[in-house]
């Protein structure tokens, strides 16, 4: 699989940043923005985006503006890093930065996309990206690793978008988990966050007969076997963290969310959008985990409180996912 990666360290657009810098706080936002394609027809777009009467420069710019208003909302507290899933490619990120986000200090970005893929993952940052790497395996979407330089030390972010629940994607989700597990384990001595749309609930091992989950709650009696098979081991108690395990706020009994989940399908809520933290964020040194939230802002909700999904036919809505936000603090 060939991978496209773009890293821009000095975006050529005007920047008059008025976001107050807080050296003791670091926030990461992860957001599946639901099929954000640019207006140029390259041939790899989904069919509904190939009709210029429906999808054109005007509708594209309108959607960029809608998304930028969300990302720059005061209620999101100016994330230091924004991780996006389902953007077409680097052109979308560049337009988003040059037209909207660049003036707020977002000047660094990286994008990873499979050659034959329609969509990609992106990392956008107000801090320098020291390095970026793509991790891949046959048949799966690429995982983008970006090392962010901060005054409190480097933070290794892994941006991913697992195969959806439509069709038979369990094996592909497990393959992606193996790639992420191996790559992130090499950064065990650093602060590590795994971010994105995992397309699997962290508690799914309890609710399904699937024999090969990509995520496993380590309280499950078969957890050790499943983790050895490649699943990412999750805990809800940071005291139980060990090398190769990740803290999942959803599994923490003390965590309280403002919404039952980050997305909803067939009337059921799911917690597919996640940010997982390794043990370095709970060792009392440098950056430390502070909080995690599902950001169901009023502008992102439909009348029933579920995500106001984007509808290309009506050119209404935002996304079928809510963004999730993790805050770190320097002790």
């Amino acid at each position: 699989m060939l991978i496209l990666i773009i890293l821009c360290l000095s975006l050529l657009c005007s920047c008059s940043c008025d976001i107050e810098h807080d050296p003791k706080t670091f926030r990461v936002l992860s957001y599946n923005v639901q099929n954000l394609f640019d207006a140029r027809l390259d041939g790899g777009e989904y069919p509904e985006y190939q009709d210029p009467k429906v999808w054109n420069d005007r509708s594209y710019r309108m959607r960029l503006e809608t998304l930028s208003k969300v990302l720059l909302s005061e209620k999101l507290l100016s994330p230091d890093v924004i991780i996006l899933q389902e953007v077409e490619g680097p052109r979308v990120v560049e337009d988003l930065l040059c037209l909207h986000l660049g003036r707020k200090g977002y000047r660094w970005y990286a994008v990873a996309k499979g050659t034959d893929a329609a969509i990609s993952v992106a990392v956008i940052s107000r801090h320098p990206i020291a390095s970026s790497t793509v991790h891949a395996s046959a048949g799966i979407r690429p995982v983008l690793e970006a090392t962010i330089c901060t005054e409190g030390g480097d933070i290794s972010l892994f941006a991913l978008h697992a195969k959806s629940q439509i069709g038979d994607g369990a094996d592909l989700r497990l393959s992606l988990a193996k790639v992420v597990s191996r790559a992130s384990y090499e950064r065990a001595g650093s602060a590590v966050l795994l971010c994105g749309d995992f397309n699997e609930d962290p508690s799914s091992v309890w609710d399904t007969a699937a024999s090969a989950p990509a995520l496993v709650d380590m309280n499950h009696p078969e957890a050790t076997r499943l983790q050895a098979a490649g699943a990412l081991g999750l805990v809800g108690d940071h005291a139980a963290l060990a090398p190769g395990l990740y803290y999942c706020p959803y599994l923490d009994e003390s965590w309280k969310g403002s919404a039952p989940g980050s997305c909803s399908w067939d009337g059921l809520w799911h917690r597919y959008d996640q940010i997982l933290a390794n043990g370095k964020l709970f060792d009392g040194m440098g950056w430390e985990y502070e909080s995690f939230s599902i950001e169901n802002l009023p502008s992102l909700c439909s009348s029933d409180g579920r995500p106001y999904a984007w509808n290309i036919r009506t050119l209404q809505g935002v996304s079928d996912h809510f963004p999730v936000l993790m805050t770190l603090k320097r002790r």
Side-chain angles (χ1 to χ4, degrees), residues 118-140:
I119 52 179
S120 61
V121 293
V123 174
I124 298 171
S125 178
R126 293 198 289 116
H127 301 263
I129 298 178
S131 64
S132 59
T133 306
V134 172
H135 304 279
S137 182
I140 68 168

Side-chain angles (χ1 to χ4, degrees), residues 10-78:
S10 182
L11 189 66
L12 297 179
C13 62
S14 62
C15 174
S16 56
C17 179
D18 57 3
I19 295 178
E20 184 177 352
H21 177 57
D22 182 357
K24 293 187 177 181
T25 304
F26 187 87
R27 295 184 178 91
V28 179
L29 184 86
S30 179
Y31 196 10
N32 182 326
V33 295
Q34 190 189 354
N35 303 333
L36 179 53
F37 289 92
D38 61 43
R40 177 175 172 178
L41 187 60
D42 299 313
E45 299 85 357
Y46 297 150
E48 59 267 34
Y49 289 87
Q50 297 183 16
D51 182 357
K53 295 180 180 178
V54 176
W55 191 246
N56 48 47
D57 190 65
R58 177 177 175 273
S59 48
Y60 168 55
R61 286 177 176 267
M62 178 191 72
R63 196 154 187 229
L64 285 181
E65 183 175 0
T66 298
L67 177 59
S68 69
K69 287 180 179 178
V70 174
L71 298 177
L72 297 176
S73 168
E74 292 183 358
K75 295 182 179 179
L76 293 184
L77 304 173
S78 305

Side-chain angles (χ1 to χ4, degrees), residues 140-162:
I140 68 168
R141 292 167 175 164
V143 176
L144 174 60
E145 176 187 355
T147 300
I148 311 297
C149 293
T150 78
E151 296 176 26
D154 290 352
I155 298 176
S156 295
L157 302 175
F158 290 81
L160 60 91
H161 182 198

